[in-house]
Amino acid sequence: MARAKRQAATTYHITNDRTLPKKGQTSTKMLVGAIVAAALALSVRFVGRSYIDSKVDEAVRLLDEGRPQDALHSLKKMRSIGRAIRYDTLQFTFCLGRALLESDAENNVAAAAKEFQRATDIYGAYWPAYANLATTLFALERYPEALDAVQEAISGVEALPSDDSDDLRAELYLNKGVILLEIPESRCSGGSCHEFAAQAFRQAQLLSPNNEMATRLLARSTADMQSTPASSKDYIRDLFDE
């Protein structure tokens, strides 16, 4: 019994020198192996990144051609590859958000919002991501968050040369006004949300005097400040029906 215990407690060592690698042989082989593995990994990542970038370019073309479903199908395949090689670019994320949003499927709106939010996390100064994030959050009826997003988009665009961005800023101020119409008046500090909406429409009109929608929304919101319909969606629909 005692002998068995001693046997169980024995630590085994390799003692045959012929089974051991020569001095320096192990470290050299390990170094070469590590170099080959690193080179292979870099090659795979480079090829994977180039492939994903080419697919993003293709998806942009499909979106511009009005084929969001085809773009979405291609980009969804790329997502798993991108995760495998830890490659998640602003361009890919934003393009995937666009494809989800423009595919016009109701269940894709929340997914699109996540992609646009991720795009702002990757690069916080990219105003198109904030603008589209505001659109998706508005569709999800998350109005205060949509207001924050559109304000970030406005701040980003206002940093651009004014001659090139007036119409764009007008569009964003118009969107801001529409979002404000959905927020209860008491939720806006320093005044009425509908008053702030009228200010946004006025700013849009100043930036783009030929913007008919800004002109009509400003006139309507100013005249009907006390009787604005509960939903800005119905409110805008009424303007088109006039």
Side-chain angles (χ1 to χ4, degrees), residues 90 93-94 97 110-124 129-130 132-134 136-137 142 145 149:
L90 170 65
T93 304
F94 180 76
K114 290 181 180 179
E115 295 303 327
F116 292 132
Q117 182 63 65
R118 184 178 289 112
T120 65
D121 293 339
I122 294 173
Y123 183 56
Y130 283 109
N132 284 348
L133 178 59
T136 55
L137 292 172
R142 293 161 59 181
E145 294 171 81

Side-chain angles (χ1 to χ4, degrees), residues 198-220:
Q199 292 175 15
F201 296 142
R202 185 175 293 106
Q203 184 66 26
Q205 185 189 45
L206 289 172
L207 290 165
S208 181
N210 295 326
N211 189 317
E212 183 180 353
M213 180 55 64
T215 301
R216 296 179 70 181
L217 278 169
L218 174 60
R220 183 72 174 269

Side-chain angles (χ1 to χ4, degrees), residues 83-102:
R83 285 174 174 167
I85 62 174
R86 298 180 181 179
Y87 190 54
D88 191 16
T89 67
L90 170 65
Q91 291 78 9
F92 176 84
T93 304
F94 180 76
C95 193
L96 178 57
R98 271 192 64 191
L100 287 163
L101 180 60
E102 295 175 24

Side-chain angles (χ1 to χ4, degrees), residues 60-94:
V60 170
R61 176 180 58 78
L62 291 171
L63 288 169
D64 291 341
E65 292 175 357
R67 298 164 58 188
Q69 290 289 358
D70 293 335
L72 182 59
H73 179 71
S74 176
L75 290 170
K76 280 187 173 180
K77 289 183 177 179
M78 295 304 101
R79 171 46 62 83
S80 58
I81 297 175
R83 285 174 174 167
I85 62 174
R86 298 180 181 179
Y87 190 54
D88 191 16
T89 67
L90 170 65
Q91 291 78 9
F92 176 84
T93 304
F94 180 76

Side-chain angles (χ1 to χ4, degrees), residues 7-160:
Q7 181 69 27
T10 301
T11 301
Y12 292 90
H13 302 278
I14 298 175
T15 57
N16 187 346
D17 289 343
R18 288 178 298 178
T19 65
L20 298 175
K22 295 180 180 179
K23 185 176 182 182
Q25 184 177 0
T26 301
S27 59
T28 301
K29 287 184 177 180
M30 290 179 63
L31 179 60
V32 172
I35 292 173
V36 171
L40 181 60
L42 286 173
S43 177
V44 169
R45 292 188 70 183
F46 177 77
V47 172
R49 289 180 176 188
S50 298
Y51 182 61
I52 290 173
D53 289 343
S54 68
K55 285 297 183 179
V56 170
D57 292 339
E58 178 184 332
V60 170
R61 176 180 58 78
L62 291 171
L63 288 169
D64 291 341
E65 292 175 357
R67 298 164 58 188
Q69 290 289 358
D70 293 335
L72 182 59
H73 179 71
S74 176
L75 290 170
K76 280 187 173 180
K77 289 183 177 179
M78 295 304 101
R79 171 46 62 83
S80 58
I81 297 175
R83 285 174 174 167
I85 62 174
R86 298 180 181 179
Y87 190 54
D88 191 16
T89 67
L90 170 65
Q91 291 78 9
F92 176 84
T93 304
F94 180 76
C95 193
L96 178 57
R98 271 192 64 191
L100 287 163
L101 180 60
E102 295 175 24
S103 65
D104 205 26
E106 186 175 348
N107 59 337
N108 282 344
V109 176
K114 290 181 180 179
E115 295 303 327
F116 292 132
Q117 182 63 65
R118 184 178 289 112
T120 65
D121 293 339
I122 294 173
Y123 183 56
Y126 192 57
W127 69 261
Y130 283 109
N132 284 348
L133 178 59
T135 298
T136 55
L137 292 172
F138 181 82
L140 295 169
E141 300 184 357
R142 293 161 59 181
Y143 305 121
E145 294 171 81
L147 181 60
D148 291 340
V150 78
Q151 188 58 57
E152 288 287 350
I154 289 171
S155 298
V157 171
E158 285 182 339
L160 301 175

Side-chain angles (χ1 to χ4, degrees), residues 154-234:
I154 289 171
S155 298
V157 171
E158 285 182 339
L160 301 175
S162 59
D163 292 343
D164 300 331
S165 64
D166 282 353
D167 288 342
L168 181 56
R169 285 193 293 161
E171 193 69 25
L172 291 172
Y173 273 108
L174 187 64
N175 292 346
K176 179 180 179 179
V178 171
I179 294 169
L180 281 163
L181 289 176
E182 288 289 351
I183 301 176
E185 296 196 43
S186 60
R187 293 287 298 276
C188 292
S189 60
S192 159
C193 287
H194 289 183
E195 289 175 353
F196 289 138
Q199 292 175 15
F201 296 142
R202 185 175 293 106
Q203 184 66 26
Q205 185 189 45
L206 289 172
L207 290 165
S208 181
N210 295 326
N211 189 317
E212 183 180 353
M213 180 55 64
T215 301
R216 296 179 70 181
L217 278 169
L218 174 60
R220 183 72 174 269
S221 62
T222 301
D224 301 337
M225 189 73 71
Q226 301 302 320
S227 59
T228 302
S231 171
S232 66
K233 295 164 188 164
D234 295 333

